Amino acid sequence: MFVQKNFLLIVLALAVVFAFAMKATIFQQQPAGNSGTANPAPADFGSYWFTGKAELNSYRLEQAQYGALNPGEAVLIFVTEDFRTDKQVKSETPESHDKSVPVLKTNLSKKFVTGIYDYSLFTSVFTPISNPLFPNTLKVSTSGQEWCGHSYIQLNYRNNGYQVNGKSYFEKEVDEDYTVEKAMLEDELWNRIRINPDKLPTGEIQLIPGTMAARLRHKRLEPLPAKLKIDKYEGVLYPGKLLKSYVIEYPTDDRTLTIIFESQFPHKIVGWEEIYKSKDNLLTSRAVLKKTILTDYWNHNAPADSTLRQLLVSTR
């Protein structure tokens, strides 16, 4: 009698079990070398990140390109939102709420000038917050605009790997469509610092390099061996107290990224350094924090709100 009344439920349960065995669901498995990504965030995480505001950070930027360091500005934004796991977009309707998970989103904007013309780069990263069913970052997108043309690249987590699609003005990147095996993304490390730096990966792992650096250097994305370590920051260049440095070194790519952050919650990122060759010159790009504000910026788009912009970019 029980089987007859609950036949559909039993069939559905068996189908789900079979799908997990065949790795055919949208649910993810914990990747090798990525221990800790699904561990709970600190208890005070919600009191800072779920207040209906974003954290906006402005930086003084020096960016390597064409064999020289170019002055500019960077803005690093962190905000939580509901993110659909099926279509991998922001959930904006009540009907899609059950298909969504809370994510921490990184928006990183860099603008700088090379000689006579401008560069503008923008990256978005969507990382589920301590969700055991979705331990991996779901999506990364990066766009670039400069006077020669523009480009776009997007990574989506699908079928136990990352699907890469790209379009570009440049011939070798004109129409990209390929898959890379599952590995941690350099782009998600910014979110991982903010969620729980105690769970950051260290040691030698496979890491997919940052999309912004790959676009500037015209590199195809693929997992590379990387050495990661966390140290105390002993310098005086970056503002803040009890700072730590997270060093990501790519021995086979001659590139090193160091992210400087506060060891105490909410683990604000106070700057970063990126070392690589540009036109055979070994250069260090650098961003140093100027200002941090918390605001619901999407509700401040009137001319009168330009005062908030001045507050953000001010060096005082």
Side-chain angles (χ1 to χ4, degrees):
M1 182 66 69
F2 174 82
V3 174
Q4 290 179 333
K5 289 185 176 180
N6 298 276
F7 179 76
L8 291 178
L9 182 61
I10 293 173
V11 170
L12 178 61
L14 290 174
V16 170
V17 171
F18 179 77
F20 268 103
M22 298 301 292
K23 301 179 181 179
T25 71
I26 61 172
F27 302 126
Q28 303 175 44
Q29 295 181 338
Q30 191 80 354
N34 189 15
S35 60
T37 57
N39 284 275
D44 47 3
F45 185 90
S47 63
Y48 185 84
W49 290 111
F50 291 107
T51 60
K53 295 182 179 180
E55 183 193 90
L56 313 181
N57 304 277
S58 64
Y59 301 81
R60 183 177 67 254
L61 176 68
E62 288 184 311
Q63 182 65 49
Q65 186 70 342
Y66 302 127
L69 289 174
N70 306 281
E73 177 185 272
V75 176
L76 184 57
I77 302 169
F78 293 96
V79 64
T80 56
E81 63 186 29
D82 291 332
F83 194 74
R84 291 185 61 160
T85 59
D86 53 351
K87 295 185 177 181
Q88 297 188 357
V89 294
K90 180 182 178 180
S91 172
E92 297 184 293
T93 62
E95 293 77 18
S96 65
H97 180 75
D98 292 340
K99 301 175 182 178
S100 305
V101 296
V103 301
L104 183 61
K105 177 175 69 175
T106 300
N107 280 339
L108 174 58
S109 169
K110 292 181 181 179
K111 295 184 178 181
F112 56 96
V113 176
T114 56
I116 192 175
Y117 65 97
D118 303 319
Y119 262 80
S120 179
L121 304 170
F122 196 97
T123 294
S124 295
V125 188
F126 304 85
T127 304
I129 300 170
S130 305
N131 191 310
L133 295 179
F134 299 93
N136 296 95
T137 288
L138 294 174
K139 181 179 179 180
V140 177
S141 60
T142 289
S143 60
Q145 301 83 36
E146 43 106 350
W147 286 10
C148 290
H150 57 262
S151 65
Y152 181 84
I153 191 167
Q154 180 169 303
L155 289 76
N156 293 87
Y157 187 90
R158 293 194 179 101
N159 300 321
N160 218 30
Y162 283 99
Q163 178 65 38
V164 181
N165 294 103
K167 300 288 184 180
S168 177
Y169 160 84
F170 298 99
E171 184 177 10
K172 292 183 179 180
E173 305 163 349
V174 64
D175 195 2
E176 297 174 302
D177 185 357
Y178 59 94
T179 301
V180 296
E181 62 185 80
K182 180 173 63 177
M184 181 162 281
L185 301 161
E186 177 191 309
D187 284 332
E188 72 182 89
L189 295 177
W190 309 79
N191 277 338
R192 299 294 178 194
I193 289 172
R194 305 311 306 272
I195 293 173
N196 192 344
D198 292 337
K199 300 301 181 181
L200 288 169
T202 56
E204 298 184 6
I205 68 170
Q206 292 289 305
L207 193 65
I208 299 173
T211 50
M212 198 175 282
R215 262 327 193 219
L216 280 176
R217 302 165 71 211
H218 302 289
K219 296 274 189 175
R220 181 183 173 95
L221 292 175
E222 61 179 339
L224 296 178
K227 297 179 180 179
L228 297 85
K229 64 178 181 179
I230 301 176
D231 289 324
K232 290 183 179 179
Y233 176 74
E234 303 291 352
V236 296
L237 180 61
Y238 299 95
K241 298 179 180 179
L242 301 175
L243 301 181
K244 289 187 176 181
S245 63
Y246 190 32
V247 183
I248 302 103
E249 179 186 0
Y250 295 93
T252 62
D253 195 34
D254 296 325
R255 176 173 166 262
T256 300
L257 171 66
T258 302
I259 305 173
I260 315 298
F261 66 95
E262 294 178 340
S263 59
Q264 295 183 335
F265 185 84
H267 312 297
K268 187 191 304 182
I269 293 175
V270 299
W272 62 88
E273 298 176 356
E274 187 179 10
I275 303 173
Y276 59 81
K277 282 186 178 181
S278 177
K279 278 195 172 181
D280 295 326
N281 293 328
L282 187 64
L283 299 174
T284 301
S285 301
R286 183 177 285 111
V288 180
L289 181 67
K290 295 193 299 182
K291 195 77 173 181
T292 299
I293 63 175
L294 295 173
T295 182
D296 52 339
Y297 65 87
W298 49 91
N299 290 324
H300 298 285
N301 46 34
D305 296 318
S306 61
T307 55
L308 288 174
R309 174 73 184 184
Q310 292 302 315
L311 176 64
L312 178 65
V313 301
S314 172
T315 58
R316 294 181 181 180

